[in-house]
Amino acid sequence: QLQLVESGGGMVKPGDSLRLSCTASGRTFNQYVGAWFRQAPGKERQFVANIYGNTESRNFGAGLRGRFSIDLDNDKKTVYLQMNDLKPEDTAVYFCAARRLSTPAQSWAFWGRGTQVTVST
């Protein structure tokens, strides 16, 4: 069983940067796809980015490539989401998720509890 713990959220000003971390307990991401999603109040959950643990291939949600980047640490136990030039519309709860490489693309079986990101003046 893969357990995910997010950290790094907080309140920042527009234009600031923030890095979120998602650490897997007991396992590495070698056989998983790690991802970030976000959900703002009253809105549907939105895909932010994912990274394949075996190839480190990356995908990004619409309009987020460039400001956001996703990486694995050298041990492949932590997935990072680097967010730059943050905007008020980036305010949301950010969730880490994972699925095994062998499972269908939308079958995110493992979820963290989320970390709040607030962008405000």
Side-chain angles (χ1 to χ4, degrees):
Q1 190 78 355
L2 189 68
Q3 292 183 323
L4 305 174
V5 179
E6 304 102 332
S7 61
M11 180 177 288
V12 296
K13 291 181 168 55
D16 284 352
S17 297
L18 205 59
R19 188 176 79 161
L20 305 183
S21 301
C22 171
T23 300
S25 63
R27 295 178 182 266
T28 70
F29 282 95
N30 277 312
Q31 299 302 317
Y32 294 84
V33 183
W36 288 94
F37 291 79
R38 67 185 183 183
Q39 188 163 21
K43 295 190 176 181
E44 292 187 355
R45 187 174 63 198
Q46 178 188 16
F47 169 73
V48 176
N50 68 13
I51 185 166
Y52 283 69
N54 54 346
T55 63
E56 299 197 23
S57 173
R58 297 163 172 82
N59 297 290
F60 292 88
L64 296 178
R65 184 190 294 269
R67 287 197 304 123
F68 288 17
S69 62
I70 187 169
D71 289 287
L72 281 167
D73 71 347
N74 290 337
D75 294 334
K76 295 195 176 181
K77 291 182 178 178
T78 301
V79 175
Y80 299 104
L81 181 69
Q82 177 69 40
M83 304 183 292
N84 299 323
D85 190 22
L86 282 161
K87 306 176 186 302
E89 51 265 39
D90 295 318
T91 295
V93 178
Y94 284 71
F95 296 92
C96 180
R99 63 172 177 84
R100 292 184 177 87
L101 291 171
S102 58
T103 57
Q106 299 307 317
S107 60
W108 299 99
F110 307 100
W111 290 86
R113 300 184 68 174
T115 185
Q116 177 71 46
V117 172
T118 303
V119 185
S120 174
T121 56

